[in-house]
Amino acid sequence: MRYGMVIDLKRCVGCNACTVACRAKNGTPAGIHYHRVEKHEVGKYPTARMEFRPIPCMHCQEPACLEVCPTGATYKRGDGLVLIDQDKCIGCRYCILACPYDVRQSLTRIENYFEHDLATPYEAKKRQDFDKGTAVKCTFCVDRLEEGLMPACVDTCPTLARTFGDLDDPTSEVSILIVRNRGTVLKEELGTKPSVYYING
Amino acid sequence: MVVVYVFLAGCGGGVFLFSFMLSLLQWYEPVARIGLVAGPVLVAIGSIMLIFDLGSPARCYRLFTTPRTLASSWMIRGSWILSVFIILGLTYGLPSFGLFAWLPWSKTSVTGSLIGVAAAFFAVFVPIYPGLLLGVIKSIPLWNTPALPLLFFLSGLDMGVALLTLVSAVIPEAVGVEGFHLLAGADVVLIALLFIALLAYIELTRQRGETAAKSVHLLKRPLCVIGVILFGMLLPLALLIVSTLASGNVLMVPIETLAGILVLVGGLLLRYSVITSGVRLPVR
């Protein structure tokens, strides 16, 4: 069982609903983004176009972050998820430096979006999940997965650009999409073996 | 903050290594014994600064509770190497001072010598290790090269000699004219090697792709070029050559002291330049 995601770049329109859904689900403090969408111009006139590339954590099979973590706070589960044990993180930020996809962030400040000292009830509840000084990142919505749900970004996408499933199962939708569309990963040459594939790029 | 810590590691390791060599030869004992203790103390100061720079300083003990990460992480290897060096270095160096003369070993005893050799072994890695820590970051081409640990090592040795020169300037009679000549000579050789290594590093990195070239462009900003190369290498080189030629002149000590200070500032700026010029490879 290896959780993975496939993102169809032809379907992605850069609406950022996934980024917002991720924010809403995780209640991340101001300035902390588990997910982002990068915008690039590709091609040449007269066939130039904008390409939008959603970037979650890649949950790599050989994560650069895990290799450099001095306390073992970053760990990899049997199902392929790369997670952070907040209790063990000492906040050295080495993993943030090491990640080639720049998907990890340091919780140096926990700030609210609205009035500085006034948290909304939702913000106040979600604050408890965050440990100041530690490193945080996308978890593929591990708690939703445990309830049999899809990650928030996958569920929300209005153009159905995102698919999630078991990469080890050759009959799963993600595996079929990758094979059929020759899915690629980012920064393959670095040997991190990401679990997020892109098709139709 | 990281820059200061890396600088202190470089100085600390370098000054200990040179002091150890002097100690083995039993030359300039009063200066060598200061260097042997200054090294671990500087590294300890840097380490304490680093602990307070952590996101969760209270959890720093975890650096020593998970030895299995020694297999993969340079940060943990560095923590252990530096800690062992501090302990061994102080153990070796402190008995030379009256306050600690009651300790049951000395530099010349068998136990003492073994501790010294072990400390020197770890001292070699102390200036190198930040280069290795940064070197494994594959997404920043400026750092991802074996040249970086070498550069930091040479710079560390250079700063070690510079520090010893400063110590000698305080007690010049312990070192004498030939002592200052020796320090100047060692410094000249190291500066020359460092200069060549730095130029090679810059040029080779520049050719490694667009992102690497961007990093080199940042490296070439005035603060770095003037600070590191002009003030940190060429000027002290000139001063040291002048002081060697003007042997016995009363200006020799002040000139070498100035050169030493410039080398130290240059070493700090070198680390600052490299650390702040790291440009990430674009994700796509």
Side-chain angles (χ1 to χ4, degrees), chain B residues 89-113:
Chain B
L90 285 174
T91 311
Y92 179 66
L94 283 175
S96 306
F97 290 87
L99 205 61
F100 296 92
W102 50 268
L103 284 164
W105 63 86
S106 73
K107 287 212 297 260
T108 43
S109 74
V110 175
T111 330
S113 308

Side-chain angles (χ1 to χ4, degrees), chain A residues 68 70 86 89-90 94 96 99 131, chain B residues 55-56 59 69 73 133 280 282:
Chain A
V68 300
Q86 306 293 146
C89 178
I90 59 172
Y94 198 13
I96 291 162
C99 175
D131 218 340
Chain B
S56 295
R59 291 190 193 140
T69 50
S73 167
L133 186 97
R280 270 186 180 275

Side-chain angles (χ1 to χ4, degrees), chain B residues 13-86:
Chain B
V15 81
F16 183 88
L17 276 172
F18 270 103
S19 304
F20 182 68
M21 284 192 265
L22 290 177
S23 248
L24 283 180
L25 296 164
Q26 295 184 336
W27 288 354
Y28 317 126
E29 180 56 31
V31 169
R33 69 174 188 159
I34 293 177
L36 287 174
V37 171
V41 166
L42 286 170
V43 174
I45 292 171
S47 305
I48 292 171
M49 287 171 76
L50 193 83
I51 288 173
F52 282 104
D53 200 27
L54 288 174
S56 295
R59 291 190 193 140
C60 65
Y61 67 89
R62 285 196 178 270
L63 284 167
F64 302 100
T65 54
T66 41
R68 65 185 160 82
T69 50
L70 276 167
S72 57
S73 167
W74 269 107
M75 178 154 300
I76 192 95
R77 290 171 190 164
S79 311
W80 284 63
I81 289 171
L82 262 63
S83 304
V84 170
F85 165 68
I86 292 168

Side-chain angles (χ1 to χ4, degrees), chain A residues 20-29 112-114 118-130 143-144 152:
Chain A
V20 174
C22 172
R23 271 238 120 99
K25 183 258 166 201
N26 291 298
T28 45
N112 303 318
Y113 265 103
F114 302 102
L118 214 61
T120 62
Y122 187 70
E123 278 178 320
K125 172 129 194 342
K126 283 296 184 179
R127 278 305 156 268
Q128 294 154 27
D129 297 340
F130 297 104
D143 45 339
R144 283 177 63 101

Side-chain angles (χ1 to χ4, degrees), chain A residues 36 40 42 51 53 55 67-72 86-94 96-102 131-134 186-187 190, chain B residues 2 53-57 59-63 66 68-69 72-76 79 132-140 143 280-284:
Chain A
R36 67 181 191 272
H40 305 277
V42 296
E51 185 182 84
R53 191 177 286 257
I55 313 242
E67 202 182 294
V68 300
C69 178
T71 60
Q86 306 293 146
D87 290 331
K88 289 190 184 160
C89 178
I90 59 172
C92 69
R93 300 187 289 269
Y94 198 13
I96 291 162
L97 214 52
C99 175
Y101 309 100
D102 210 7
D131 218 340
K132 191 154 176 270
T134 59
L186 285 175
K187 299 247 155 286
L190 296 180
Chain B
V2 180
D53 200 27
L54 288 174
S56 295
R59 291 190 193 140
C60 65
Y61 67 89
R62 285 196 178 270
L63 284 167
T66 41
R68 65 185 160 82
T69 50
S72 57
S73 167
W74 269 107
M75 178 154 300
I76 192 95
S79 311
L132 291 163
L133 186 97
L134 296 177
V136 296
I137 309 290
K138 295 194 196 105
S139 45
I140 299 181
W143 299 346
R280 270 186 180 275
L281 285 169
V283 174
R284 189 182 179 273

